[in-house]
Amino acid sequence: MTMTSASYDLVAADYARLIPDAHDGRPLDAAIMRAFAELAGDPIGDLGCGTGRITQHLHELGKEAFGVDLSEGMLTQARELYPHLTFTQGDITKLDLEDDSLGGAVVWYSTVHMPAESVPWQEFHRVVEPGGYLLHAFKLGDQKRHLTHAYGHDVDLEVYWHDIDETVRNATEAGFNEVARLQRQKGVGEAGPQAFLLFCKRNPAAGQTS
């Protein structure tokens, strides 16, 4: 993950300038985020928060949200843009969070630099409370590309598209139930279709076992 962090440190300021809004011109993305915000309790962890635009949007939706990201450069931008929110450095594959401590989690394109089998579903499951919700956004498909230039800078990033059924299967095996899914065609500036999955962590105490 070192090269990923270094690349995002490099592009952070231009990323914040070029992508300032949570869902600019993408009402379907905004709709599933609103649904998640209505269902999930507090606090909400924005896992892989980048420059904090989703964390801020969750705050605007009335949620107690905080952000975690690997890149200190991205976190610097987030703290400058949204000083009223909390952002901490951390790795989403080994979160410094207590078990069952989140009412909900957002994983918004935070897994695009890892293959599907490396997505840390068990770790997401660990930190979300039983009956809590997780919203996951990702590039839809089955391919891998090496990215050498982005946001005006030379970078070194592997970018992965994930299959939606494989993603659901991996999340289900970790202990989540699928609640809803959204697939849409590519928008402006996107290379392909996008997918959004809403999950609920199974709660045996409430009879949610499958």
Side-chain angles (χ1 to χ4, degrees):
M1 298 295 286
T2 302
M3 292 307 298
T4 299
S5 179
S7 292
Y8 276 102
D9 286 347
L10 185 65
V11 306
D14 287 304
Y15 184 104
R17 176 178 58 83
L18 293 168
I19 310 179
D21 301 312
H23 307 296
D24 186 26
R26 292 173 178 146
L28 293 174
D29 304 24
I32 199 164
M33 180 70 75
R34 287 195 302 272
F36 163 80
E38 288 187 26
L39 289 166
D42 289 316
I44 303 292
D46 182 6
L47 309 181
C49 64
T51 56
R53 58 197 179 95
I54 296 298
T55 324
Q56 169 62 15
H57 185 61
L58 289 164
H59 173 73
E60 292 169 354
L61 291 172
K63 306 307 294 181
E64 179 189 332
F66 67 92
V68 177
D69 201 86
L70 190 62
S71 165
E72 284 289 359
M74 298 293 266
L75 291 169
T76 295
Q77 295 297 316
R79 291 167 183 145
E80 290 178 356
L81 289 165
Y82 313 112
H84 53 288
L85 298 177
T86 299
F87 298 96
T88 58
Q89 197 276 339
D91 185 341
I92 65 171
T93 68
K94 45 186 176 183
L95 292 159
D96 187 20
L97 294 171
E98 297 291 331
D99 294 357
D100 304 332
S101 60
L102 301 181
V106 173
V107 184
W108 198 259
Y109 294 101
S110 310
T111 65
V112 296
H113 302 303
M114 58 181 68
E117 63 271 17
S118 297
V119 175
W121 287 109
Q122 291 288 352
E123 183 69 350
F124 299 155
H125 181 269
R126 181 185 70 79
V127 299
V128 173
E129 67 182 5
Y133 289 83
L134 182 145
L135 178 61
H136 181 41
F138 56 99
K139 298 175 183 292
L140 179 62
D142 181 19
Q143 61 176 306
K144 171 186 173 182
R145 294 184 188 175
H146 184 68
L147 190 63
T148 58
H149 194 79
Y151 310 108
H153 299 271
D154 292 332
V155 297
D156 185 8
L157 293 168
E158 301 294 345
V159 182
Y160 293 84
W161 281 249
H162 294 164
D163 177 79
I164 195 166
D165 291 323
E166 180 183 10
T167 301
V168 170
R169 186 163 57 251
N170 292 342
T172 301
E173 289 175 356
F176 290 98
N177 286 339
E178 180 185 356
V179 176
R181 67 173 68 186
L182 168 65
Q183 299 174 230
R184 65 164 176 78
Q185 295 307 308
K186 67 178 182 179
V188 176
E190 294 175 333
Q194 311 294 308
F196 308 85
L197 286 166
L198 180 61
F199 295 108
C200 180
K201 178 174 172 176
R202 291 197 284 274
N203 184 3
Q208 297 175 355
T209 58
S210 61

